[in-house]
Amino acid sequence: MAADVDEKLEKINERLETIEDNLNETYGEYSQQSGKRIGLDIGILYGIIIAIIFLLILRKFNII
């Protein structure tokens, strides 16, 4: 009887480990995608800021 319970517990533990691995993989992929989106937003903001600074410099020297 105890051996039967041990086998069932081992199977349950294996299934839980598989589920945990899948969750970790899914969370990793989600984090990577969200990091890409945040990186894109930051890159766009940097581009806008640099363009504004560039325009201000050009206006200061009456080039525009």
Side-chain angles (χ1 to χ4, degrees):
M1 177 112 184
D4 188 39
V5 172
D6 288 340
E7 288 178 19
K8 287 182 180 180
L9 286 175
E10 284 182 30
K11 287 181 183 179
I12 291 172
N13 278 336
E14 287 175 8
R15 288 181 65 196
L16 287 174
E17 287 176 8
T18 304
I19 291 170
E20 184 180 11
D21 291 342
N22 288 340
L23 283 174
N24 286 338
E25 243 180 76
T26 303
Y27 180 72
E29 291 175 9
Y30 174 76
S31 296
Q32 184 177 10
Q33 289 298 323
S34 109
K36 284 182 180 179
R37 277 187 242 121
I38 291 171
L40 176 67
D41 294 342
I42 290 173
I44 290 170
L45 287 174
Y46 275 144
I48 291 171
I49 291 170
I50 290 172
I52 290 172
I53 292 172
F54 186 68
L55 286 174
L56 290 174
I57 290 171
L58 290 177
R59 281 187 179 225
K60 181 177 181 182
F61 293 112
N62 293 326
I63 296 176
I64 294 181

